[in-house]
Amino acid sequence: MAQQAYMTETAGDGSGPERPGSRLRRLAHRLFSGWRNDPRIWRRGLVLAALALLLALVMLVHAHIPNRVGNLGSLTETFLPWLGLAVPVLLVLALVRRSATALIALVLPATVWLNLFGGLLTDKAGSGGDLMVATHNVNADNPDPAATATDVAASGADVLALEELPASAVPVYEKALAQTYKYHAVAGTVGLWSKYPMSGVDAVDIKLGWTRAMRATVATPRGPVAVFVAHLPSVRVKMEAGFTARQRDKSADALGEAIADEPLKRVVLLGDLNGTMNDRSLNAVTSQLRSTQGAAGSGFGFSWPASFPMARIDQIMVRGAEPESSWTLPRTNSDHLPVAARVKLDTAS
């Protein structure tokens, strides 16, 4: 009994371990104490409020930011989702400054960002699908192409596209994939491997002077599908020139024309487009096809760079097919992540 009385007294004098809830209450008290009777909460933080409104404006009118100077519009659209990180930063600063004006202004960029990208935060993946496809930029300097080929083949994809294939490494990929894929074709630096027969294989001219795109008809059990594989030119961010993407944009227009001329109703595009679905410069392609990640993925599906993915520039897009699921595959020896999707083919097409 004496021991019990001692323990009760010790717990009541505040010398025991502090509960996490107590620390949170003290922190909240420090942040919000004095707000009620402080008339300056509306005058402080006007710069923060202005930054919040500017952030919302950039996200709202990103499609109207001109590309004439350094392709600034395309650069903004490439990393558009990351602008949302500014919201919690401004929120903390507004709390520290005790600015009600800044806090109210932050509602606008938060709402705009959620309207643009909130749908990507939910898992839309289903469990069906007639055809599994995958694509991977394997990196021309890949130190172990055989291991990379084995890794992507293990995904179970029925149709696999590879980009950035150096001529010296093509035999290695062919040997490593031979057991899984009975049919394959290589055109320039891109290749297509399939478990189903292929016909009509041909290079696609994307105005580069060498081959980085191809097209084939894959005879799936649900009928023929036109499969395009493309690796659009790389883009660079340079201090003196901005976002250099002119050749990429020209090739995107040419690829869009080829897809528009495709007679088959069911089309799958696999490849490294060096651009995101938000980038208006890819409209010639993206306006005709549906992104599997946007329709049936979970999250943003960033694929590059593999060490810390910041943008989805590797794309799977379809027409005449219903995306069922879309995801990134485990990292290989490349600087890109492989991406995969399952689609349900429209038998009426």
Side-chain angles (χ1 to χ4, degrees), residues 4-55:
Q4 182 179 0
Y6 173 79
M7 290 176 64
T8 303
E9 182 181 350
T10 310
D13 66 5
S15 61
E18 185 180 16
R19 295 180 181 178
S22 300
R23 288 196 294 267
L24 288 174
R25 282 194 297 270
R26 282 214 320 242
L27 178 60
H29 178 73
R30 285 183 192 145
L31 286 174
F32 295 105
S33 62
W35 284 58
R36 182 178 300 175
N37 299 317
D38 185 358
R40 293 177 299 170
I41 62 173
W42 300 104
R43 297 195 296 269
R44 281 194 299 259
L46 296 181
V47 172
L48 292 176
L51 289 174
L53 295 177
L54 178 62
L55 177 63

Short mmCIF file of all heavy atoms in Angstrom, two decimals, residues 4-55:
data_model
loop_
_atom_site.label_atom_id
_atom_site.label_comp_id
_atom_site.label_asym_id
_atom_site.label_seq_id
_atom_site.Cartn_x
_atom_site.Cartn_y
_atom_site.Cartn_z
N GLN A 4 2.21 1.79 -3.44
CA GLN A 4 1.17 2.29 -4.35
C GLN A 4 0.94 3.78 -4.14
O GLN A 4 0.81 4.54 -5.09
CB GLN A 4 -0.12 1.53 -4.12
CG GLN A 4 -1.24 1.96 -5.07
CD GLN A 4 -2.50 1.17 -4.84
OE1 GLN A 4 -2.54 0.29 -3.97
NE2 GLN A 4 -3.52 1.48 -5.60
N ALA A 5 0.92 4.22 -2.87
CA ALA A 5 0.73 5.64 -2.58
C ALA A 5 1.88 6.46 -3.14
O ALA A 5 1.70 7.55 -3.68
CB ALA A 5 0.60 5.85 -1.08
N TYR A 6 3.10 5.94 -3.08
CA TYR A 6 4.27 6.65 -3.59
C TYR A 6 4.18 6.81 -5.09
O TYR A 6 4.45 7.89 -5.64
CB TYR A 6 5.53 5.86 -3.20
CG TYR A 6 6.79 6.42 -3.84
CD1 TYR A 6 7.41 7.56 -3.32
CD2 TYR A 6 7.35 5.80 -4.96
CE1 TYR A 6 8.55 8.08 -3.89
CE2 TYR A 6 8.51 6.31 -5.53
CZ TYR A 6 9.10 7.44 -4.99
OH TYR A 6 10.23 7.94 -5.57
N MET A 7 3.76 5.77 -5.77
CA MET A 7 3.65 5.82 -7.23
C MET A 7 2.59 6.81 -7.65
O MET A 7 2.78 7.57 -8.62
CB MET A 7 3.32 4.43 -7.78
CG MET A 7 4.48 3.45 -7.64
SD MET A 7 4.03 1.80 -8.20
CE MET A 7 3.73 2.11 -9.92
N THR A 8 1.49 6.87 -6.93
CA THR A 8 0.43 7.80 -7.28
C THR A 8 0.88 9.23 -7.12
O THR A 8 0.64 10.09 -7.95
CB THR A 8 -0.81 7.54 -6.41
OG1 THR A 8 -1.21 6.20 -6.57
CG2 THR A 8 -1.94 8.48 -6.77
N GLU A 9 1.61 9.48 -6.05
CA GLU A 9 2.09 10.84 -5.79
C GLU A 9 3.10 11.27 -6.84
O GLU A 9 3.09 12.40 -7.33
CB GLU A 9 2.71 10.88 -4.40
CG GLU A 9 3.19 12.27 -4.01
CD GLU A 9 3.82 12.27 -2.63
OE1 GLU A 9 3.70 11.25 -1.92
OE2 GLU A 9 4.43 13.29 -2.28
N THR A 10 3.98 10.34 -7.24
CA THR A 10 5.00 10.67 -8.23
C THR A 10 4.38 11.01 -9.57
O THR A 10 4.78 11.93 -10.26
CB THR A 10 5.97 9.48 -8.40
OG1 THR A 10 6.40 9.07 -7.13
CG2 THR A 10 7.16 9.88 -9.25
N ALA A 11 3.34 10.26 -9.98
CA ALA A 11 2.70 10.50 -11.27
C ALA A 11 2.01 11.84 -11.29
O ALA A 11 1.88 12.46 -12.33
CB ALA A 11 1.68 9.40 -11.55
N GLY A 12 1.56 12.33 -10.13
CA GLY A 12 0.80 13.57 -10.11
C GLY A 12 1.65 14.80 -10.03
O GLY A 12 1.16 15.90 -10.21
N ASP A 13 2.98 14.67 -9.71
CA ASP A 13 3.76 15.89 -9.52
C ASP A 13 4.45 16.35 -10.80
O ASP A 13 5.23 17.29 -10.76
CB ASP A 13 4.78 15.68 -8.39
CG ASP A 13 5.85 14.66 -8.76
OD1 ASP A 13 5.86 14.17 -9.92
OD2 ASP A 13 6.67 14.34 -7.90
N GLY A 14 4.20 15.66 -11.94
CA GLY A 14 4.72 16.13 -13.23
C GLY A 14 6.14 15.71 -13.51
O GLY A 14 6.73 16.12 -14.49
N SER A 15 6.74 14.87 -12.64
CA SER A 15 8.14 14.48 -12.85
C SER A 15 8.27 13.22 -13.69
O SER A 15 9.36 12.80 -14.01
CB SER A 15 8.82 14.27 -11.51
OG SER A 15 8.17 13.24 -10.78
N GLY A 16 7.13 12.59 -14.04
CA GLY A 16 7.17 11.39 -14.87
C GLY A 16 7.40 11.73 -16.33
O GLY A 16 7.52 12.89 -16.71
N PRO A 17 7.48 10.69 -17.20
CA PRO A 17 7.70 10.93 -18.64
C PRO A 17 6.55 11.71 -19.25
O PRO A 17 5.38 11.48 -18.95
CB PRO A 17 7.78 9.51 -19.21
CG PRO A 17 7.08 8.65 -18.21
CD PRO A 17 7.34 9.26 -16.88
N GLU A 18 6.91 12.64 -20.14
CA GLU A 18 5.90 13.49 -20.77
C GLU A 18 5.20 12.74 -21.88
O GLU A 18 5.83 12.04 -22.68
CB GLU A 18 6.57 14.75 -21.34
CG GLU A 18 5.60 15.76 -21.90
CD GLU A 18 6.29 16.99 -22.45
OE1 GLU A 18 7.53 16.91 -22.65
OE2 GLU A 18 5.63 17.99 -22.68
N ARG A 19 3.90 12.86 -21.92
CA ARG A 19 3.13 12.20 -22.98
C ARG A 19 3.25 12.96 -24.30
O ARG A 19 3.36 14.19 -24.29
CB ARG A 19 1.66 12.14 -22.58
CG ARG A 19 1.41 11.26 -21.36
CD ARG A 19 -0.07 11.26 -21.03
NE ARG A 19 -0.34 10.46 -19.85
CZ ARG A 19 -1.54 10.31 -19.32
NH1 ARG A 19 -2.58 10.96 -19.86
NH2 ARG A 19 -1.72 9.55 -18.25
N PRO A 20 3.24 12.21 -25.45
CA PRO A 20 3.32 12.88 -26.76
C PRO A 20 2.23 13.92 -26.95
O PRO A 20 2.45 14.97 -27.53
CB PRO A 20 3.18 11.73 -27.75
CG PRO A 20 3.61 10.51 -27.00
CD PRO A 20 3.22 10.77 -25.57
N GLY A 21 1.03 13.63 -26.42
CA GLY A 21 -0.08 14.58 -26.57
C GLY A 21 0.20 15.90 -25.88
O GLY A 21 -0.21 16.96 -26.35
N SER A 22 0.92 15.84 -24.76
CA SER A 22 1.26 17.07 -24.04
C SER A 22 2.20 17.93 -24.85
O SER A 22 2.08 19.16 -24.90
CB SER A 22 1.90 16.73 -22.69
OG SER A 22 1.00 15.96 -21.91
N ARG A 23 3.18 17.31 -25.51
CA ARG A 23 4.12 18.07 -26.34
C ARG A 23 3.40 18.73 -27.50
O ARG A 23 3.70 19.87 -27.86
CB ARG A 23 5.23 17.14 -26.85
CG ARG A 23 6.21 16.72 -25.77
CD ARG A 23 7.47 16.14 -26.38
NE ARG A 23 7.21 14.89 -27.07
CZ ARG A 23 7.33 13.70 -26.51
NH1 ARG A 23 7.66 13.60 -25.23
NH2 ARG A 23 7.10 12.60 -27.21
N LEU A 24 2.46 18.01 -28.12
CA LEU A 24 1.71 18.58 -29.24
C LEU A 24 0.87 19.77 -28.79
O LEU A 24 0.77 20.77 -29.49
CB LEU A 24 0.83 17.51 -29.88
CG LEU A 24 1.54 16.43 -30.68
CD1 LEU A 24 0.55 15.36 -31.14
CD2 LEU A 24 2.24 17.04 -31.88
N ARG A 25 0.25 19.64 -27.60
CA ARG A 25 -0.57 20.74 -27.09
C ARG A 25 0.28 21.97 -26.81
O ARG A 25 -0.13 23.10 -27.07
CB ARG A 25 -1.32 20.30 -25.83
CG ARG A 25 -2.54 19.44 -26.13
CD ARG A 25 -3.43 19.32 -24.91
NE ARG A 25 -2.76 18.64 -23.81
CZ ARG A 25 -2.80 17.32 -23.62
NH1 ARG A 25 -3.48 16.56 -24.47
NH2 ARG A 25 -2.19 16.78 -22.59
N ARG A 26 1.48 21.74 -26.26
CA ARG A 26 2.37 22.87 -25.98
C ARG A 26 2.82 23.55 -27.26
O ARG A 26 2.90 24.77 -27.35
CB ARG A 26 3.58 22.38 -25.19
CG ARG A 26 3.29 22.15 -23.72
CD ARG A 26 4.49 22.47 -22.84
NE ARG A 26 5.73 22.01 -23.45
CZ ARG A 26 6.54 21.10 -22.90
NH1 ARG A 26 6.20 20.52 -21.77
NH2 ARG A 26 7.66 20.76 -23.48
N LEU A 27 3.13 22.72 -28.30
CA LEU A 27 3.54 23.29 -29.58
C LEU A 27 2.40 24.09 -30.19
O LEU A 27 2.61 25.21 -30.71
CB LEU A 27 3.97 22.16 -30.54
CG LEU A 27 4.38 22.59 -31.96
CD1 LEU A 27 5.57 23.55 -31.91
CD2 LEU A 27 4.72 21.37 -32.80
N ALA A 28 1.18 23.54 -30.17
CA ALA A 28 0.02 24.25 -30.71
C ALA A 28 -0.23 25.55 -29.94
O ALA A 28 -0.58 26.58 -30.53
CB ALA A 28 -1.22 23.36 -30.65
N HIS A 29 0.00 25.49 -28.63
CA HIS A 29 -0.21 26.70 -27.82
C HIS A 29 0.78 27.80 -28.21
O HIS A 29 0.42 28.97 -28.32
CB HIS A 29 -0.05 26.36 -26.33
CG HIS A 29 -0.20 27.56 -25.44
ND1 HIS A 29 -1.43 28.14 -25.20
CD2 HIS A 29 0.72 28.28 -24.74
CE1 HIS A 29 -1.26 29.17 -24.39
NE2 HIS A 29 0.04 29.27 -24.09
N ARG A 30 2.03 27.39 -28.48
CA ARG A 30 3.04 28.37 -28.88
C ARG A 30 2.68 29.00 -30.24
O ARG A 30 2.88 30.19 -30.46
CB ARG A 30 4.41 27.71 -29.00
CG ARG A 30 5.05 27.40 -27.66
CD ARG A 30 6.43 26.80 -27.87
NE ARG A 30 6.96 26.24 -26.65
CZ ARG A 30 7.73 25.15 -26.61
NH1 ARG A 30 8.01 24.51 -27.73
NH2 ARG A 30 8.21 24.72 -25.48
N LEU A 31 2.18 28.15 -31.15
CA LEU A 31 1.87 28.65 -32.49
C LEU A 31 0.67 29.58 -32.51
O LEU A 31 0.64 30.58 -33.22
CB LEU A 31 1.62 27.46 -33.45
CG LEU A 31 2.86 26.67 -33.89
CD1 LEU A 31 2.44 25.46 -34.71
CD2 LEU A 31 3.80 27.55 -34.71
N PHE A 32 -0.34 29.24 -31.73
CA PHE A 32 -1.61 29.95 -31.85
C PHE A 32 -1.91 30.91 -30.69
O PHE A 32 -2.90 31.64 -30.75
CB PHE A 32 -2.76 28.94 -31.98
CG PHE A 32 -2.69 28.14 -33.25
CD1 PHE A 32 -2.27 26.83 -33.22
CD2 PHE A 32 -3.01 28.71 -34.47
CE1 PHE A 32 -2.19 26.08 -34.40
CE2 PHE A 32 -2.95 27.97 -35.65
CZ PHE A 32 -2.52 26.66 -35.61
N SER A 33 -1.08 30.89 -29.64
CA SER A 33 -1.35 31.79 -28.53
C SER A 33 -1.21 33.23 -28.99
O SER A 33 -0.28 33.61 -29.68
CB SER A 33 -0.37 31.52 -27.38
OG SER A 33 0.95 31.75 -27.79
N GLY A 34 -2.14 34.03 -28.62
CA GLY A 34 -2.08 35.44 -28.95
C GLY A 34 -2.73 35.83 -30.27
O GLY A 34 -2.84 37.01 -30.59
N TRP A 35 -3.18 34.81 -31.09
CA TRP A 35 -3.80 35.11 -32.38
C TRP A 35 -5.10 35.88 -32.19
O TRP A 35 -5.40 36.80 -32.95
CB TRP A 35 -4.07 33.82 -33.15
CG TRP A 35 -2.85 33.20 -33.78
CD1 TRP A 35 -1.72 32.80 -33.16
CD2 TRP A 35 -2.67 32.90 -35.17
NE1 TRP A 35 -0.83 32.26 -34.04
CE2 TRP A 35 -1.39 32.30 -35.29
CE3 TRP A 35 -3.45 33.06 -36.31
CZ2 TRP A 35 -0.89 31.87 -36.52
CZ3 TRP A 35 -2.95 32.62 -37.52
CH2 TRP A 35 -1.68 32.05 -37.63
N ARG A 36 -5.87 35.48 -31.19
CA ARG A 36 -7.22 36.03 -31.04
C ARG A 36 -7.21 37.53 -30.81
O ARG A 36 -8.04 38.27 -31.33
CB ARG A 36 -7.95 35.32 -29.90
CG ARG A 36 -9.38 35.78 -29.70
CD ARG A 36 -10.04 34.99 -28.59
NE ARG A 36 -10.07 33.56 -28.90
CZ ARG A 36 -10.51 32.62 -28.05
NH1 ARG A 36 -10.94 32.99 -26.84
NH2 ARG A 36 -10.52 31.36 -28.40
N ASN A 37 -6.27 38.00 -30.02
CA ASN A 37 -6.24 39.42 -29.66
C ASN A 37 -5.16 40.20 -30.41
O ASN A 37 -4.77 41.28 -29.98
CB ASN A 37 -6.03 39.56 -28.15
CG ASN A 37 -7.16 38.91 -27.36
OD1 ASN A 37 -8.32 39.07 -27.72
ND2 ASN A 37 -6.80 38.19 -26.31
N ASP A 38 -4.66 39.63 -31.51
CA ASP A 38 -3.59 40.29 -32.26
C ASP A 38 -4.15 40.82 -33.58
O ASP A 38 -4.39 40.07 -34.52
CB ASP A 38 -2.46 39.29 -32.53
CG ASP A 38 -1.27 39.96 -33.21
OD1 ASP A 38 -1.35 41.17 -33.51
OD2 ASP A 38 -0.28 39.26 -33.45
N PRO A 39 -4.36 42.14 -33.70
CA PRO A 39 -4.93 42.69 -34.94
C PRO A 39 -3.97 42.61 -36.12
O PRO A 39 -4.37 42.76 -37.27
CB PRO A 39 -5.22 44.15 -34.57
CG PRO A 39 -4.26 44.46 -33.47
CD PRO A 39 -4.10 43.18 -32.69
N ARG A 40 -2.67 42.34 -35.84
CA ARG A 40 -1.69 42.32 -36.93
C ARG A 40 -1.69 41.02 -37.73
O ARG A 40 -0.98 40.91 -38.71
CB ARG A 40 -0.29 42.57 -36.35
CG ARG A 40 -0.11 43.97 -35.78
CD ARG A 40 1.26 44.12 -35.16
NE ARG A 40 1.46 43.18 -34.05
CZ ARG A 40 2.63 42.96 -33.47
NH1 ARG A 40 3.69 43.61 -33.87
NH2 ARG A 40 2.73 42.10 -32.47
N ILE A 41 -2.48 40.04 -37.29
CA ILE A 41 -2.50 38.77 -38.03
C ILE A 41 -2.99 38.96 -39.46
O ILE A 41 -2.72 38.15 -40.34
CB ILE A 41 -3.38 37.72 -37.32
CG1 ILE A 41 -4.82 38.18 -37.24
CG2 ILE A 41 -2.82 37.36 -35.95
CD1 ILE A 41 -5.75 37.12 -36.70
N TRP A 42 -3.71 40.05 -39.72
CA TRP A 42 -4.19 40.31 -41.09
C TRP A 42 -3.19 41.14 -41.89
O TRP A 42 -3.26 41.18 -43.11
CB TRP A 42 -5.54 41.04 -41.04
CG TRP A 42 -6.58 40.24 -40.35
CD1 TRP A 42 -7.07 40.43 -39.09
CD2 TRP A 42 -7.24 39.08 -40.86
NE1 TRP A 42 -8.00 39.47 -38.78
CE2 TRP A 42 -8.13 38.62 -39.85
CE3 TRP A 42 -7.17 38.38 -42.07
CZ2 TRP A 42 -8.94 37.51 -40.02
CZ3 TRP A 42 -7.97 37.26 -42.24
CH2 TRP A 42 -8.85 36.84 -41.22
N ARG A 43 -2.27 41.82 -41.19
CA ARG A 43 -1.30 42.67 -41.89
C ARG A 43 0.03 41.97 -42.12
O ARG A 43 0.78 42.33 -43.01
CB ARG A 43 -1.07 43.97 -41.11
CG ARG A 43 -2.32 44.83 -40.99
CD ARG A 43 -1.96 46.25 -40.54
NE ARG A 43 -1.39 46.27 -39.20
CZ ARG A 43 -2.11 46.41 -38.09
NH1 ARG A 43 -3.42 46.54 -38.15
NH2 ARG A 43 -1.51 46.44 -36.91
N ARG A 44 0.31 40.96 -41.29
CA ARG A 44 1.56 40.22 -41.46
C ARG A 44 1.43 39.21 -42.60
O ARG A 44 0.35 38.73 -42.91
CB ARG A 44 1.92 39.49 -40.17
CG ARG A 44 2.55 40.37 -39.10
CD ARG A 44 3.18 39.52 -38.02
NE ARG A 44 2.19 38.69 -37.36
CZ ARG A 44 1.65 38.95 -36.17
NH1 ARG A 44 2.00 40.06 -35.53
NH2 ARG A 44 0.78 38.15 -35.64
N GLY A 45 2.58 38.83 -43.16
CA GLY A 45 2.61 37.75 -44.15
C GLY A 45 2.02 38.09 -45.49
O GLY A 45 1.60 37.19 -46.23
N LEU A 46 1.99 39.36 -45.85
CA LEU A 46 1.43 39.74 -47.15
C LEU A 46 2.27 39.19 -48.31
O LEU A 46 1.74 38.81 -49.35
CB LEU A 46 1.31 41.26 -47.25
CG LEU A 46 0.33 41.93 -46.26
CD1 LEU A 46 0.29 43.42 -46.50
CD2 LEU A 46 -1.06 41.31 -46.40
N VAL A 47 3.59 39.14 -48.09
CA VAL A 47 4.46 38.57 -49.13
C VAL A 47 4.17 37.07 -49.29
O VAL A 47 4.10 36.55 -50.42
CB VAL A 47 5.95 38.79 -48.77
CG1 VAL A 47 6.85 38.04 -49.75
CG2 VAL A 47 6.27 40.28 -48.80
N LEU A 48 3.97 36.37 -48.18
CA LEU A 48 3.64 34.95 -48.25
C LEU A 48 2.30 34.75 -48.96
O LEU A 48 2.15 33.82 -49.77
CB LEU A 48 3.57 34.36 -46.84
CG LEU A 48 4.89 34.27 -46.06
CD1 LEU A 48 4.63 33.76 -44.65
CD2 LEU A 48 5.87 33.37 -46.79
N ALA A 49 1.34 35.60 -48.68
CA ALA A 49 0.05 35.51 -49.34
C ALA A 49 0.19 35.73 -50.84
O ALA A 49 -0.42 35.03 -51.66
CB ALA A 49 -0.93 36.53 -48.75
N ALA A 50 1.03 36.70 -51.22
CA ALA A 50 1.26 36.97 -52.63
C ALA A 50 1.92 35.77 -53.31
O ALA A 50 1.57 35.41 -54.45
CB ALA A 50 2.12 38.22 -52.79
N LEU A 51 2.88 35.14 -52.63
CA LEU A 51 3.54 33.94 -53.19
C LEU A 51 2.53 32.81 -53.36
O LEU A 51 2.58 32.07 -54.35
CB LEU A 51 4.68 33.51 -52.28
CG LEU A 51 5.92 34.42 -52.27
CD1 LEU A 51 6.91 33.94 -51.21
CD2 LEU A 51 6.56 34.46 -53.64
N ALA A 52 1.62 32.65 -52.41
CA ALA A 52 0.60 31.61 -52.51
C ALA A 52 -0.31 31.86 -53.72
O ALA A 52 -0.63 30.93 -54.47
CB ALA A 52 -0.23 31.57 -51.23
N LEU A 53 -0.70 33.10 -53.93
CA LEU A 53 -1.56 33.42 -55.07
C LEU A 53 -0.81 33.24 -56.38
O LEU A 53 -1.38 32.78 -57.38
CB LEU A 53 -2.06 34.86 -54.94
CG LEU A 53 -2.99 35.14 -53.75
CD1 LEU A 53 -3.36 36.61 -53.70
CD2 LEU A 53 -4.24 34.28 -53.84
N LEU A 54 0.49 33.59 -56.41
CA LEU A 54 1.31 33.40 -57.62
C LEU A 54 1.44 31.91 -57.93
O LEU A 54 1.36 31.50 -59.09
CB LEU A 54 2.68 34.02 -57.41
CG LEU A 54 3.67 33.87 -58.59
CD1 LEU A 54 3.12 34.55 -59.83
CD2 LEU A 54 5.03 34.45 -58.20
N LEU A 55 1.64 31.10 -56.90
CA LEU A 55 1.75 29.65 -57.09
C LEU A 55 0.46 29.10 -57.69
O LEU A 55 0.49 28.29 -58.63
CB LEU A 55 2.04 28.98 -55.74
CG LEU A 55 2.10 27.46 -55.71
CD1 LEU A 55 3.24 26.95 -56.57
CD2 LEU A 55 2.25 26.97 -54.27
#
